[in-house]
Amino acid sequence: MARIAFILLCHKDPKGVVAQARRLTGSGDYVSIHFDGRANMRDFEMIRAALADNPSVVFAQRRWKCGWGEWSLVGATLEAVRAAVAAFPLATHFYMLSGDCMPIKSAEYAHGFLDGEDCDYIENFDFFESDWIKTGFKEERLVYRHWFNERTQKWLFYTSYELQKRFGLTRAVPADIQVMIGSQWWCLRRQTVEKVLNFCAGRPEVMGFFATTWVPDETFFQTIVAHVVPRREIRSRTLTYLVFTDYGMPVTFYNDHYDLLLGQNYLFARKISPEAIRLRERLGALWTAGGVHFPISNEATGLFRFVTARGRVGRRFGQRFWEAEGSLGRDNSLLLVVAKKWHVAKRLTDAIRRHTAIPAVDFVFNEIEAHLPDLGGVETTLEKRDRHRRALIRLLFQHFESHRLVLCLDPSALHLIQDLTSDKADTRVLLIDSQFDDDYLRGHIARVGLAGSETAPEVIERLLPMVRADLEHEAERLRDMDLAGLHSMAPWRHAEENAAQLARFLDVPAETGLALARTDHLFSD
């Protein structure tokens, strides 16, 4: 059975550290503690005294003074790992934790999970090819030398960087090393940890390289593990659940997040608020529980994105350069069919293609298959289509040799609608109103990842009114734009009313509008 040596990096809350160590060793596991050298010495002595009689606890021999983005974080981790390897010969796995982490599964579950597959869990994406780094320094982290802390020695940090940049003092990555990047929270097998330590002892030039990189805790272990272990034995993921805000800060969990956390496919979570006393008590008790079943739903991240994005959807702060130049054409008519129920919109565009000569494509910014012709490559990915949206639409006008074009949009894409209706072209919008019954909403919640197959029914029931209000609000936001060319149709209106709207929207005869409005099963779910 797996026995875990937890590598616990901490710098505060001595009582919490003691409680964490006692809890984790109570399940037959081990703890190696590195307490930050900058922290209060009395706190450290209190921890040592409280755990002195626990043979399953060891302390790093050297206490590093740790700083964010510095090599000191890696140095502290290595110190705690060496202590654990020497003290706990029966440990099969080594798991990185911080003082803000808490278990969201039982020890019984965690041991079974690690026994289930012989592999290492560590995020490792190609440093140069991936988009793991969203903003700020990227190559600069590696090719320049960083001796100062950006947060506490800002002037020295940037002056050193600018001088190296000015005089071209770059350096190469060690030739046989492919630099990888990922979360610092990993779980490695004993044989992997031993290989990493042997690598450290035998490759001082690589150690020296990483010692002056910026934020090496996101690259050092990620790179070395991938260098010494076959890729087939690595799972590029962390077993510690964490979410980051749009500002790059970790989300903090509170008392009412207990059920949500248990449903995530992870063993631990961070950050747990120090004030969430009840949550800490419940998670602490969970670690020692037996026979607990954990339905995995994985909806927490999707829920966070959904809730925090409400009210900000569609906000734009400036035109992209490819949108600022050129127009769709003053003589062209762009006809936007806006519908939350995509199947209804696609039935309508199919009918338009059959009953009129107006070219019609479907959800070109949402689905790869959208009745698009070959346009030379700009249509190959959704990202390209959105990035070059005006160029794409101009190409469609040219390809179809038509001054009119129908395409479909989701009402959530308010920024697209605003952008296209602001063009010099004659842009009209047809809003297809919808009724959202509970069955449709449940399907929508599953499709967008707000809940999984194992999500408790009561959680979904609580989501229903919020999601319904959100979908209805999308249509209201469109109406609030007061567009001159806004038309609408709805399943509760007579076919004649919908036909009149369609005839004006498409500029077609009344009988054609009526034929479209009477399309078989147009509004059926």
Side-chain angles (χ1 to χ4, degrees):
M1 185 183 78
R3 297 188 71 176
I4 308 168
F6 291 98
I7 309 303
L8 184 56
L9 300 190
C10 44
H11 65 280
K12 61 182 179 179
D13 188 19
K15 292 182 180 179
V17 173
V18 171
Q20 179 86 305
R22 287 174 174 165
R23 178 187 311 117
L24 296 175
T25 56
S27 58
D29 296 303
Y30 311 101
V31 175
S32 178
I33 298 174
H34 179 279
F35 197 72
D36 196 335
R38 299 182 190 275
N40 191 307
M41 187 63 184
R42 284 178 297 179
D43 288 345
F44 179 60
E45 292 301 332
M46 179 263 190
I47 296 170
R48 288 187 67 99
L51 298 173
D53 60 347
N54 190 329
S56 296
V57 174
V58 70
F59 291 87
Q61 290 189 2
R62 174 185 173 186
R63 291 176 61 204
W64 286 71
K65 294 182 178 180
C66 297
W68 186 89
E70 294 180 5
W71 171 255
S72 54
L73 288 173
V74 178
T77 304
L78 287 171
E79 201 69 41
V81 166
R82 291 188 182 102
V85 168
F88 309 127
L90 297 181
T92 60
H93 293 77
F94 294 75
Y95 194 124
M96 269 279 291
L97 283 181
S98 77
D100 293 322
C101 296
M102 288 291 290
I104 56 174
K105 298 291 185 291
S106 64
E108 178 183 75
Y109 181 98
H111 294 151
F113 182 94
L114 295 177
D115 283 334
E117 190 172 8
D118 187 21
C119 63
D120 299 303
Y121 296 92
I122 181 169
E123 280 190 351
N124 59 343
F125 304 99
D126 186 279
F127 183 92
F128 295 100
E129 297 299 326
S130 73
D131 63 347
W132 201 86
I133 298 174
K134 302 299 183 185
T135 60
F137 282 179
K138 187 172 182 178
E139 290 85 354
E140 295 88 348
R141 290 190 182 193
L142 305 180
V143 301
Y144 296 108
R145 298 160 183 81
H146 301 279
W147 296 285
F148 307 103
N149 188 289
E150 192 267 347
R151 293 188 175 182
T152 60
Q153 301 168 298
K154 191 176 292 289
W155 185 87
L156 289 171
F157 180 90
Y158 285 105
T159 299
S160 168
Y161 163 69
E162 291 295 342
L163 287 172
Q164 292 179 76
K165 184 177 178 182
R166 179 183 303 175
F167 293 106
L169 300 177
T170 58
R171 59 179 175 176
V173 175
D176 64 330
I177 294 295
Q178 179 185 6
V179 180
M180 311 296 283
I181 192 167
S183 168
Q184 72 178 104
W185 310 107
W186 42 253
C187 178
L188 305 176
R189 297 166 296 173
R190 184 180 194 91
Q191 61 265 37
T192 299
V193 166
E194 290 173 346
K195 289 177 182 177
V196 169
L197 294 179
N198 288 337
F199 182 95
C200 294
R203 295 294 300 274
E205 79 285 3
V206 176
M207 299 292 283
F209 171 80
F210 278 104
T212 51
T213 59
W214 182 233
V215 202
D217 53 296
E218 294 178 352
T219 55
F220 178 76
F221 286 98
Q222 296 77 0
T223 299
I224 306 309
V225 169
H227 188 76
V228 299
V229 174
R231 294 297 174 87
R232 66 179 180 274
E233 297 179 17
I234 300 175
R235 302 296 171 265
S236 185
R237 59 159 297 191
T238 175
L239 296 181
T240 299
Y241 181 65
L242 64 163
V243 184
F244 286 95
T245 69
D246 292 343
Y247 304 100
M249 300 300 291
V251 171
T252 301
F253 299 106
Y254 295 93
N255 288 334
D256 55 348
H257 290 134
Y258 178 80
D259 293 324
L260 196 69
L261 290 174
L262 265 58
Q264 307 316 298
N265 190 23
Y266 297 85
L267 304 184
F268 284 76
R270 72 180 304 265
K271 290 182 154 185
I272 308 299
S273 170
E275 300 173 1
I277 305 302
R278 178 57 180 154
L279 177 60
R280 287 177 171 270
E281 290 174 349
R282 296 178 74 186
L283 293 177
L286 176 69
W287 179 252
T288 59
V292 182
H293 173 63
F294 295 94
I296 304 299
S297 56
N298 271 340
E299 77 271 24
T301 304
L303 281 172
F304 173 77
R305 301 295 179 211
F306 170 69
V307 173
T308 56
R310 298 178 76 202
R312 299 204 310 265
V313 177
R315 187 172 293 178
R316 288 278 301 278
F317 298 97
Q319 283 186 306
R320 296 180 171 97
F321 71 89
W322 53 81
E323 298 169 338
E325 54 189 43
S327 165
L328 300 179
R330 191 183 298 274
D331 297 328
N332 290 330
S333 292
L334 181 62
L335 309 171
L336 304 177
V337 175
V338 180
K340 176 53 70 175
K341 293 187 175 181
W342 294 3
H343 56 280
V344 177
K346 288 192 276 190
R347 285 191 196 120
L348 179 60
T349 55
D350 180 64
I352 290 171
R353 288 189 288 269
R354 286 187 284 109
H355 289 283
T356 77
I358 305 172
V361 294
D362 296 334
F363 288 86
V364 297
F365 300 110
N366 301 96
E367 296 182 308
I368 288 294
E369 297 298 330
H371 284 93
L372 274 181
D374 184 352
L375 297 174
V378 71
E379 83 289 351
T380 53
T381 68
L382 296 178
E383 182 184 6
K384 281 186 179 181
R385 295 180 195 177
D386 184 59
R387 187 186 311 132
H388 306 295
R389 63 179 71 117
R390 295 199 177 203
L392 172 71
I393 295 171
R394 286 198 299 271
L395 284 172
L396 287 171
F397 279 119
Q398 294 169 13
H399 174 85
F400 291 117
E401 297 181 351
S402 172
H403 290 295
R404 291 193 290 174
L405 173 68
V406 176
L407 64 82
C408 302
L409 293 177
D410 190 279
S412 64
L414 197 67
H415 67 289
L416 272 173
I417 299 169
Q418 288 173 323
D419 179 36
L420 297 176
T421 54
S422 68
D423 192 83
K424 295 176 183 178
D426 172 26
T427 305
R428 307 176 197 175
V429 177
L430 174 69
L431 173 63
I432 302 180
D433 280 308
S434 300
Q435 291 174 317
F436 305 111
D437 59 26
D438 286 357
D439 286 339
Y440 175 84
L441 292 175
R442 291 188 185 96
H444 177 76
I445 287 169
R447 284 190 295 274
V448 300
L450 292 179
S453 59
E454 299 287 347
T455 302
E458 57 269 23
V459 174
I460 295 177
E461 294 305 310
R462 288 199 300 269
L463 280 174
L464 290 178
M466 181 189 298
V467 174
R468 177 180 285 108
D470 198 67
L471 297 185
E472 292 172 349
H473 181 61
E474 288 178 351
E476 289 307 309
R477 289 190 303 141
L478 184 58
R479 289 191 174 90
D480 289 343
M481 291 173 63
D482 293 326
L483 300 173
L486 179 63
H487 308 271
S488 66
M489 57 187 295
W492 52 84
R493 293 181 187 157
H494 294 298
E496 291 74 13
E497 294 180 72
N498 288 332
Q501 293 286 323
L502 283 165
R504 287 194 291 270
F505 171 65
L506 295 170
D507 197 15
V508 295
E511 57 269 23
T512 304
L514 188 59
L516 294 173
R518 288 177 173 170
T519 298
D520 290 342
H521 311 294
L522 178 59
F523 295 106
S524 299
D525 287 335

